Coordinates of all heavy atoms in Angstrom, one line a residue:
M1 N 64.1 -44.1 44.1 CA 63.0 -43.5 43.3 C 62.7 -42.1 43.9 O 62.7 -42.0 45.1 CB 61.8 -44.4 43.2 CG 60.6 -43.7 42.5 SD 59.2 -44.9 42.3 CE 59.9 -45.9 41.1
K2 N 62.4 -41.2 43.0 CA 62.0 -39.8 43.5 C 60.6 -39.6 43.0 O 60.1 -40.1 41.9 CB 62.9 -38.8 43.0 CG 64.3 -39.0 43.5 CD 65.2 -37.8 43.2 CE 66.6 -38.0 43.7 NZ 66.7 -38.1 45.2
L3 N 59.9 -38.7 43.7 CA 58.5 -38.3 43.3 C 58.5 -36.8 43.2 O 59.0 -36.1 44.0 CB 57.5 -38.7 44.3 CG 56.0 -38.4 44.1 CD1 55.2 -39.5 44.6 CD2 55.6 -37.1 44.7
K4 N 58.0 -36.3 42.0 CA 58.0 -34.8 41.8 C 56.5 -34.4 41.5 O 55.8 -35.2 40.8 CB 58.8 -34.5 40.5 CG 58.8 -33.1 40.2 CD 59.7 -32.8 39.0 CE 59.7 -31.3 38.7 NZ 60.6 -31.0 37.6
V5 N 56.1 -33.3 42.1 CA 54.8 -32.8 41.8 C 54.9 -31.4 41.1 O 55.5 -30.5 41.6 CB 54.0 -32.5 43.1 CG1 52.6 -32.0 42.9 CG2 53.9 -33.9 43.9
D6 N 54.3 -31.4 39.9 CA 54.3 -30.2 39.1 C 53.3 -29.2 39.7 O 52.1 -29.4 39.6 CB 54.0 -30.5 37.6 CG 54.1 -29.4 36.7 OD1 53.8 -28.2 37.1 OD2 54.4 -29.6 35.5
A7 N 53.9 -28.1 40.2 CA 53.0 -27.1 40.8 C 52.0 -26.5 39.9 O 50.9 -26.1 40.3 CB 53.9 -26.0 41.4
A8 N 52.3 -26.3 38.6 CA 51.4 -25.7 37.6 C 50.3 -26.6 37.3 O 49.2 -26.2 36.9 CB 52.2 -25.3 36.4
E9 N 50.5 -27.9 37.4 CA 49.5 -28.9 37.0 C 48.6 -29.3 38.2 O 47.4 -29.7 38.0 CB 50.1 -30.1 36.4 CG 50.8 -29.9 35.1 CD 49.9 -29.4 34.0 OE1 48.8 -29.9 33.9 OE2 50.3 -28.5 33.3
C10 N 49.1 -29.3 39.4 CA 48.3 -29.7 40.6 C 47.1 -28.8 40.9 O 47.3 -27.6 41.0 CB 49.2 -29.8 41.8 SG 48.4 -30.3 43.3
T11 N 45.9 -29.4 40.9 CA 44.8 -28.5 41.2 C 44.1 -28.9 42.6 O 43.0 -28.4 42.9 CB 43.7 -28.6 40.1 OG1 43.3 -30.0 40.0 CG2 44.3 -28.1 38.8
G12 N 44.7 -29.7 43.3 CA 44.3 -30.0 44.7 C 43.1 -31.0 44.8 O 42.4 -30.9 45.8
H13 N 43.1 -32.0 44.0 CA 42.0 -33.0 44.1 C 42.2 -33.8 45.4 O 41.3 -34.3 46.0 CB 42.0 -34.0 42.9 CG 41.4 -33.4 41.7 ND1 40.1 -33.2 41.6 CD2 42.0 -32.9 40.6 CE1 39.8 -32.7 40.4 NE2 41.0 -32.4 39.8
G14 N 43.5 -34.0 45.8 CA 43.8 -34.7 47.1 C 43.8 -36.2 47.0 O 44.0 -36.9 48.0
R15 N 43.7 -36.8 45.8 CA 43.7 -38.2 45.7 C 45.1 -38.8 46.2 O 45.2 -39.8 46.8 CB 43.4 -38.6 44.3 CG 42.1 -38.3 43.9 CD 41.8 -38.6 42.4 NE 40.5 -38.2 42.0 CZ 40.1 -38.3 40.8 NH1 40.8 -38.7 39.8 NH2 38.8 -37.9 40.5
C16 N 46.1 -38.1 45.8 CA 47.5 -38.6 46.1 C 47.8 -38.7 47.6 O 48.3 -39.7 48.1 CB 48.5 -37.7 45.5 SG 48.5 -35.9 46.0
Y17 N 47.4 -37.7 48.4 CA 47.7 -37.8 49.8 C 46.7 -38.7 50.5 O 47.0 -39.1 51.6 CB 47.9 -36.4 50.5 CG 46.8 -35.4 50.3 CD1 45.7 -35.5 51.1 CD2 47.0 -34.4 49.4 CE1 44.7 -34.5 50.9 CE2 46.0 -33.4 49.3 CZ 44.9 -33.5 50.1 OH 43.9 -32.5 49.9
R18 N 45.6 -39.0 49.9 CA 44.7 -40.0 50.5 C 45.2 -41.4 50.3 O 45.0 -42.2 51.1 CB 43.2 -39.8 50.0 CG 42.5 -38.6 50.6 CD 41.1 -38.5 50.2 NE 40.7 -37.1 50.0 CZ 40.4 -36.6 48.9 NH1 40.3 -37.3 47.8 NH2 40.1 -35.3 48.8
I19 N 45.8 -41.6 49.1 CA 46.3 -42.9 48.8 C 47.6 -43.2 49.6 O 47.8 -44.3 50.0 CB 46.6 -43.0 47.3 CG1 45.2 -43.1 46.6 CG2 47.4 -44.2 46.9 CD1 45.3 -42.9 45.1
A20 N 48.5 -42.2 49.7 CA 49.8 -42.4 50.3 C 50.0 -41.4 51.5 O 50.9 -40.6 51.4 CB 50.9 -42.2 49.2
P21 N 49.2 -41.5 52.5 CA 49.3 -40.5 53.6 C 50.6 -40.6 54.4 O 51.0 -39.6 55.0 CB 48.1 -40.9 54.5 CG 47.9 -42.4 54.3 CD 48.2 -42.5 52.8
D22 N 51.4 -41.7 54.3 CA 52.7 -41.7 55.0 C 53.8 -41.0 54.1 O 54.8 -40.8 54.6 CB 53.1 -43.1 55.3 CG 52.2 -43.8 56.4 OD1 51.6 -43.0 57.2 OD2 52.1 -45.0 56.4
L23 N 53.4 -40.8 52.9 CA 54.4 -40.2 52.0 C 54.0 -38.7 51.7 O 54.9 -37.8 51.6 CB 54.4 -41.0 50.7 CG 55.4 -40.5 49.6 CD1 56.8 -40.6 50.1 CD2 55.2 -41.4 48.4
L24 N 52.7 -38.4 51.5 CA 52.2 -37.1 51.1 C 51.2 -36.6 52.1 O 50.5 -37.4 52.7 CB 51.6 -37.2 49.7 CG 52.5 -37.8 48.6 CD1 51.7 -38.2 47.4 CD2 53.6 -36.9 48.2
S25 N 51.2 -35.3 52.1 CA 50.2 -34.6 53.0 C 49.7 -33.4 52.3 O 50.2 -33.0 51.3 CB 50.8 -34.3 54.4 OG 51.8 -33.4 54.2
D26 N 48.6 -32.8 52.9 CA 48.1 -31.6 52.3 C 48.5 -30.3 53.0 O 48.8 -30.4 54.2 CB 46.5 -31.7 52.2 CG 45.9 -31.8 53.5 OD1 46.5 -32.4 54.4 OD2 44.7 -31.4 53.6
D27 N 48.4 -29.2 52.3 CA 48.6 -27.9 52.9 C 47.3 -27.3 53.4 O 46.3 -27.9 53.3 CB 49.5 -27.0 52.0 CG 48.7 -26.6 50.7 OD1 47.5 -26.8 50.6 OD2 49.4 -26.1 49.8
D28 N 47.4 -26.0 53.8 CA 46.2 -25.3 54.3 C 45.1 -25.1 53.2 O 44.0 -24.9 53.6 CB 46.6 -24.0 54.9 CG 47.4 -24.2 56.2 OD1 47.4 -25.3 56.8 OD2 48.1 -23.2 56.6
E29 N 45.5 -25.1 52.0 CA 44.6 -24.9 50.9 C 44.1 -26.2 50.2 O 43.4 -26.1 49.2 CB 45.3 -24.0 49.8 CG 45.6 -22.6 50.4 CD 46.3 -21.7 49.4 OE1 46.7 -22.2 48.3 OE2 46.5 -20.6 49.8
G30 N 44.5 -27.3 50.7 CA 44.1 -28.6 50.1 C 45.0 -29.2 49.1 O 44.7 -30.2 48.5
Y31 N 46.1 -28.5 48.7 CA 47.0 -29.0 47.8 C 48.0 -29.9 48.5 O 48.2 -29.8 49.7 CB 47.8 -27.9 47.1 CG 47.0 -27.0 46.2 CD1 46.5 -25.8 46.7 CD2 46.7 -27.3 44.9 CE1 45.7 -24.9 46.0 CE2 45.9 -26.5 44.1 CZ 45.4 -25.3 44.7 OH 44.6 -24.5 43.9
V32 N 48.6 -30.8 47.7 CA 49.7 -31.6 48.2 C 50.8 -30.7 48.7 O 51.2 -29.7 48.0 CB 50.2 -32.7 47.2 CG1 50.8 -32.1 46.0 CG2 51.1 -33.7 47.9
S33 N 51.3 -30.9 49.9 CA 52.3 -30.0 50.5 C 53.6 -29.9 49.8 O 54.3 -28.9 50.0 CB 52.5 -30.4 52.0 OG 53.1 -31.7 52.1
I34 N 54.0 -30.9 49.0 CA 55.3 -30.8 48.3 C 55.1 -30.3 46.9 O 56.0 -30.5 46.0 CB 56.0 -32.2 48.3 CG1 55.1 -33.2 47.5 CG2 56.3 -32.6 49.7 CD1 56.0 -34.4 47.0
R35 N 54.0 -29.6 46.6 CA 53.8 -29.1 45.2 C 55.0 -28.3 44.8 O 55.5 -27.4 45.5 CB 52.6 -28.2 45.3 CG 52.0 -27.9 44.0 CD 50.6 -27.3 44.1 NE 50.6 -26.3 45.2 CZ 49.9 -25.1 45.1 NH1 49.2 -24.9 44.0 NH2 49.9 -24.3 46.1
G36 N 55.5 -28.6 43.6 CA 56.7 -27.9 43.1 C 58.0 -28.5 43.6 O 59.1 -27.9 43.3
Q37 N 58.0 -29.6 44.3 CA 59.2 -30.1 44.9 C 59.4 -31.6 44.4 O 58.5 -32.2 43.8 CB 59.1 -30.2 46.4 CG 59.0 -28.8 47.0 CD 58.8 -28.9 48.5 OE1 59.4 -29.7 49.2 NE2 57.9 -28.1 49.1
T38 N 60.6 -32.1 44.7 CA 60.9 -33.5 44.4 C 61.4 -34.1 45.7 O 62.2 -33.5 46.5 CB 62.1 -33.6 43.4 OG1 61.7 -32.9 42.2 CG2 62.4 -35.0 43.1
I39 N 60.9 -35.3 46.0 CA 61.2 -36.0 47.3 C 61.7 -37.4 47.0 O 61.4 -38.0 45.9 CB 60.1 -36.0 48.3 CG1 58.9 -36.8 47.7 CG2 59.6 -34.6 48.7 CD1 57.8 -37.2 48.7
D40 N 62.5 -38.0 47.9 CA 62.8 -39.4 47.8 C 61.7 -40.2 48.3 O 61.0 -39.9 49.2 CB 64.0 -39.7 48.7 CG 65.3 -39.0 48.2 OD1 65.5 -39.1 46.9 OD2 66.1 -38.5 49.0
V41 N 61.5 -41.3 47.6 CA 60.4 -42.3 48.0 C 61.0 -43.5 48.7 O 61.8 -44.2 48.1 CB 59.6 -42.8 46.7 CG1 58.5 -43.8 47.1 CG2 59.0 -41.6 46.0
P42 N 60.7 -43.7 50.0 CA 61.2 -44.9 50.6 C 60.8 -46.2 50.0 O 59.7 -46.2 49.4 CB 60.7 -44.8 52.1 CG 60.2 -43.3 52.2 CD 59.9 -42.9 50.8
A43 N 61.6 -47.2 50.0 CA 61.3 -48.4 49.3 C 59.9 -49.0 49.7 O 59.2 -49.5 48.8 CB 62.4 -49.5 49.7
D44 N 59.5 -48.8 51.0 CA 58.2 -49.4 51.4 C 57.0 -48.5 50.9 O 55.9 -48.9 51.1 CB 58.2 -49.6 52.9 CG 58.2 -48.3 53.7 OD1 58.7 -47.2 53.1 OD2 57.8 -48.2 54.8
Q45 N 57.3 -47.4 50.2 CA 56.2 -46.5 49.8 C 56.1 -46.5 48.2 O 55.3 -45.8 47.7 CB 56.4 -45.1 50.3 CG 56.3 -45.0 51.8 CD 54.9 -45.2 52.3 OE1 54.0 -44.6 51.8 NE2 54.8 -46.1 53.3
V46 N 57.0 -47.2 47.5 CA 57.0 -47.2 46.1 C 55.7 -47.6 45.4 O 55.2 -46.8 44.5 CB 58.2 -48.1 45.5 CG1 58.1 -48.2 44.0 CG2 59.5 -47.5 45.9
E47 N 55.1 -48.6 45.9 CA 53.8 -49.0 45.3 C 52.7 -48.0 45.5 O 51.9 -47.7 44.5 CB 53.3 -50.4 45.8 CG 54.2 -51.5 45.3 CD 54.3 -51.6 43.7 OE1 53.2 -51.4 43.1 OE2 55.4 -51.7 43.2
L48 N 52.7 -47.4 46.6 CA 51.7 -46.3 46.9 C 52.0 -45.1 46.1 O 51.1 -44.4 45.6 CB 51.6 -46.0 48.4 CG 51.0 -47.1 49.3 CD1 51.1 -46.7 50.7 CD2 49.5 -47.3 48.9
A49 N 53.3 -44.8 45.9 CA 53.6 -43.6 45.1 C 53.2 -43.9 43.6 O 52.7 -42.9 43.0 CB 55.2 -43.4 45.1
R50 N 53.4 -45.1 43.1 CA 52.9 -45.4 41.8 C 51.4 -45.3 41.6 O 50.9 -44.8 40.7 CB 53.3 -46.8 41.4 CG 54.8 -46.9 41.1 CD 55.2 -48.2 40.4 NE 56.5 -48.2 40.0 CZ 57.5 -49.0 40.5 NH1 57.2 -50.0 41.3 NH2 58.7 -48.9 40.1
E51 N 50.7 -45.7 42.7 CA 49.2 -45.6 42.6 C 48.8 -44.1 42.7 O 47.9 -43.7 42.0 CB 48.6 -46.3 43.8 CG 47.1 -46.5 43.8 CD 46.5 -47.3 44.9 OE1 47.3 -48.1 45.5 OE2 45.3 -47.2 45.1
A52 N 49.5 -43.3 43.5 CA 49.2 -41.9 43.6 C 49.5 -41.2 42.2 O 48.6 -40.4 41.7 CB 50.1 -41.2 44.6
E53 N 50.5 -41.6 41.5 CA 50.8 -41.1 40.2 C 49.7 -41.4 39.2 O 49.3 -40.6 38.4 CB 52.2 -41.6 39.7 CG 52.5 -41.2 38.3 CD 53.8 -41.9 37.8 OE1 53.9 -43.1 38.0 OE2 54.6 -41.2 37.1
D54 N 49.3 -42.7 39.3 CA 48.3 -43.2 38.3 C 46.9 -42.5 38.5 O 46.1 -42.4 37.6 CB 48.1 -44.7 38.4 CG 49.4 -45.4 37.9 OD1 50.2 -44.8 37.2 OD2 49.5 -46.6 38.2
T55 N 46.6 -42.1 39.7 CA 45.3 -41.6 40.0 C 45.2 -40.1 39.9 O 44.1 -39.5 40.0 CB 44.8 -42.0 41.4 OG1 45.6 -41.5 42.4 CG2 44.7 -43.5 41.5
C56 N 46.3 -39.4 39.7 CA 46.3 -37.9 39.6 C 45.6 -37.6 38.2 O 46.2 -37.9 37.2 CB 47.7 -37.3 39.7 SG 47.7 -35.5 39.5
P57 N 44.5 -36.9 38.3 CA 43.7 -36.6 37.0 C 44.5 -35.6 36.1 O 44.3 -35.6 34.9 CB 42.4 -36.0 37.5 CG 42.5 -35.7 38.9 CD 43.7 -36.5 39.4
E58 N 45.3 -34.8 36.7 CA 46.1 -33.8 35.9 C 47.5 -34.4 35.4 O 48.2 -33.7 34.7 CB 46.3 -32.5 36.7 CG 45.1 -31.7 36.8 CD 44.1 -32.2 37.8 OE1 44.6 -32.9 38.7 OE2 42.9 -31.9 37.7
G59 N 47.9 -35.5 36.0 CA 49.2 -36.0 35.7 C 50.3 -35.2 36.3 O 51.4 -35.1 35.8
A60 N 50.0 -34.5 37.4 CA 51.0 -33.6 38.1 C 52.1 -34.4 38.8 O 53.1 -33.8 39.2 CB 50.2 -32.7 39.0
I61 N 51.9 -35.7 39.1 CA 52.8 -36.5 39.8 C 53.7 -37.3 38.8 O 53.1 -38.0 38.0 CB 52.2 -37.4 40.8 CG1 51.4 -36.6 41.9 CG2 53.2 -38.3 41.5 CD1 50.6 -37.4 42.8
M62 N 55.0 -37.2 39.0 CA 55.9 -37.9 38.2 C 56.9 -38.7 39.0 O 57.4 -38.1 40.0 CB 56.7 -37.0 37.3 CG 55.8 -36.2 36.3 SD 56.6 -34.6 35.8 CE 56.1 -33.6 37.1
L63 N 57.1 -39.9 38.7 CA 58.1 -40.8 39.4 C 59.3 -40.8 38.6 O 59.2 -41.0 37.3 CB 57.5 -42.2 39.7 CG 56.3 -42.2 40.7 CD1 55.8 -43.6 40.8 CD2 56.7 -41.7 42.0
I64 N 60.4 -40.7 39.2 CA 61.7 -40.7 38.6 C 62.6 -41.8 39.1 O 62.8 -41.8 40.3 CB 62.4 -39.3 38.8 CG1 61.5 -38.2 38.3 CG2 63.8 -39.3 38.1 CD1 61.9 -36.8 38.9
E65 N 63.0 -42.7 38.3 CA 63.9 -43.8 38.7 C 65.2 -43.2 39.0 O 65.8 -42.4 38.3 CB 63.9 -44.9 37.7 CG 62.6 -45.6 37.3 CD 62.1 -46.5 38.4 OE1 63.0 -47.0 39.2 OE2 60.9 -46.7 38.5
D66 N 65.9 -43.7 40.1 CA 67.2 -43.3 40.5 C 68.2 -44.0 39.5 O 68.1 -45.0 39.0 CB 67.6 -43.7 41.9 CG 66.8 -42.8 42.9 OD1 66.4 -41.7 42.6 OD2 66.6 -43.3 44.0

């Protein structure tokens, strides 16, 4: 599974990196550090990635099945 963050949609609420701190982190401005990127989600982080996707108010996080 992959996780993608839409840079245009992310407004820096920070819910995602609070839910999945081993997967996501914030940058100096409070945005998720992988904004505009796609990363692999380790098997042990899939449920947290789904929760992060579900809690993003802008829908900026998308999970992509491999």
Side-chain angles (χ1 to χ4, degrees):
M1 175 173 289
K2 296 191 182 297
L3 182 145
K4 179 177 181 178
V5 178
D6 185 327
E9 296 296 321
C10 177
T11 60
H13 285 283
R15 294 175 184 175
C16 58
Y17 54 78
R18 283 189 218 114
I19 288 170
D22 292 334
L23 182 63
L24 304 167
S25 61
D26 61 329
D27 65 13
D28 293 340
E29 296 176 355
Y31 293 97
V32 64
S33 62
I34 63 156
R35 194 169 46 143
Q37 300 177 38
T38 301
I39 63 167
D40 291 319
V41 178
D44 66 336
Q45 296 291 308
V46 169
E47 288 305 314
L48 290 173
R50 285 192 175 120
E51 190 175 340
E53 178 188 41
D54 290 343
T55 62
C56 180
E58 285 79 23
I61 297 174
M62 295 155 279
L63 293 177
I64 304 160
E65 297 288 335
D66 289 333

